């Protein structure tokens, strides 16, 4: 579909970097991309691209440096724990060309959290950040995330990542929130195609997508309309309804409130 | 963690390109990366990286061209349907610098599948492929995927993608299948860290990863060991067991049969 050309959305996009061999092996299914994407979309900061990279310094450096130059914000997930395979901080420091330093503020947070004798050398590594980083609060388990310029470095555990995001969300500069209208019907995409193209042409300010689904033995389509203007979105949805009726189908508005 | 240095795994890695605004918006949660990653891993072709890109030609071209030069195989998912937002074929053709052509073989498949009058211009687009492509069978809904050199272009609907993959899997040249041992315990990563580093040093031919988890109010760790030699994997697992016991924990072998 054509990129959205509203100035609000051209202004700020985000990229996500999911770090971890566990995701690439298929053993762990990522939950952070969809969660961040929905939250960022609601703030008017659509996610423009995402990458899943291995626990390897060169892979992380490449992704962070490519994406921070292209997008208003980059969010990384994973690799900031205390074990030997947690190399995100070293990699982000390398990406920015700065050393890793111990943050006294982060160390104080960890000292206040762990019982005496439990804050060993491994856990103290979680107080290390790239020089110049600003800490991001972790209300769940204290070991902080951090921000380097437009790059936010978060934990991989979803409930910690979500708490970190909620803490920094008010600091993000968003655009006009993208809204969605979605209509499903038991009409194949191939029958909708010509009509959809015509509606897209009538609404160049909106983005129309079509997504086939299989439910049991039946195929159907979901038409998703995205944009920032409520009136235009409703008008496009009405046009989709009329098209589906004309094709002998029954349009069903999907609940988009939670999306 | 250090990259696996066994020749078998250095020989063939794969990359995944997930194409679709729906994934980037968070509205649809990708299921294809974890499925492909597990299947490819079992064939000895670990997934080295993955990207999620928008329905935009330049984004698809960049991902396909970068990744096909780096990996033995690339698998794309999504964007080969009949509607205006299905642009994967045009983009893959552009990536290879070839025109899009109509495949008589694919057209015959579609003609055999659709009822008279239903094979309209939009659906016929699904018979278009980059010049030089080899078709990949779609036993579910006939519209084929295809292969261009080392790039496999698959549908986004999981059951169709899975059927397409199963059809071509015997043609892939794999390495020695990567096996996994996983041990979980209610011991924090920070307490495991020193011992894990020592075990990793003793088993440079294996890859050890540590993954914290939260279950209810309890934190714990899963240690995942990967490699190709059963004896070495079992020895490393025994070393992890001994370490966990020494730390006062109870090691639990996770079922890795299904992974």
């Amino acid at each position: 579909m054509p990129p959205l050309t509203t100035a609000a959305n051209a202004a700020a996009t985000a990229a996500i970097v999911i770090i971890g061999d566990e995701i690439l092996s298929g053993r762990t299914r990522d939950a952070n991309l969809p969660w961040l994407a929905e939250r960022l979309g609601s703030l008017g900061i659509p996610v423009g691209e995402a990458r899943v990279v291995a626990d390897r310094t060169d892979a992380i450096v490449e992704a962070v440096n490519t994406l921070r130059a292209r997008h208003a914000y980059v969010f990384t997930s994973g690799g900031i724990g205390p074990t030997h395979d947690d190399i995100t901080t070293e990699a982000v420091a390398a990406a920015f060309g700065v050393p890793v330093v111990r943050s006294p503020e982060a160390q104080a947070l960890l000292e206040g959290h762990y019982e005496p004798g439990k804050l060993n050398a491994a856990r103290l590594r979680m107080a290390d950040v790239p020089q110049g980083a600003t800490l991001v609060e972790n209300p769940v388990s204290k070991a902080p995330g951090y921000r380097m310029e437009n790059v936010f470095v978060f934990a991989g555990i979803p409930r910690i990542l979500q708490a970190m995001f909620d803490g920094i969300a008010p600091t993000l500069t968003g655009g006009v929130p993208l809204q969605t209208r979605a209509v499903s019907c038991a009409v194949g995409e191939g029958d909708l195609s010509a009509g959809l193209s015509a509606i897209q042409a009538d609404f160049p300010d909106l983005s129309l997508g079509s997504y086939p689904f299989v439910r049991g033995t039946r195929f159907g389509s979901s038409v998703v309309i995205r944009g920032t203007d409520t009136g235009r979105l409703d008008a496009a949805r009405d046009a989709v309804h009329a098209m589906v009726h004309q094709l002998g189908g029954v349009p069903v508005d999907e609940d988009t409130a939670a999306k």
Side-chain angles (χ1 to χ4, degrees), chain A residues 105-121:
Chain A
E105 188 186 347
Q107 183 168 343
L109 287 168
L110 296 174
E111 285 168 349
H113 178 62
Y114 286 99
E115 292 165 28
K118 296 294 281 179
L119 187 57
N120 57 20

Side-chain angles (χ1 to χ4, degrees), chain A residues 27-65:
Chain A
R27 195 164 185 282
T28 298
R29 192 159 160 172
D30 169 65
N32 291 326
L33 169 56
W35 190 88
L36 286 170
E38 289 200 6
R39 291 298 305 274
L40 286 162
S42 75
L43 297 172
I45 307 169
V47 172
E49 58 187 306
R51 296 191 182 182
V52 187
V53 301
D55 295 321
R56 260 191 16 241
T57 303
D58 60 338
I60 300 169
V61 168
E62 178 195 65
V64 166
N65 276 343

Side-chain angles (χ1 to χ4, degrees), chain A residues 11-16 46-50 66-74 150:
Chain A
T13 57
I16 312 287
V47 172
E49 58 187 306
T66 302
L67 299 176
R68 73 187 174 101
R70 281 188 194 168
H71 299 276
Y73 300 107
V74 175
N150 63 336

Side-chain angles (χ1 to χ4, degrees), chain A residues 80 82 102-128 135 138 141-145:
Chain A
I80 60 169
R102 181 143 300 170
S103 160
E105 188 186 347
Q107 183 168 343
L109 287 168
L110 296 174
E111 285 168 349
H113 178 62
Y114 286 99
E115 292 165 28
K118 296 294 281 179
L119 187 57
N120 57 20
R123 290 198 168 103
L124 268 173
R125 282 188 65 220
M126 296 192 289
D128 291 347
L135 299 189
N138 168 0
S141 57
K142 297 306 166 191

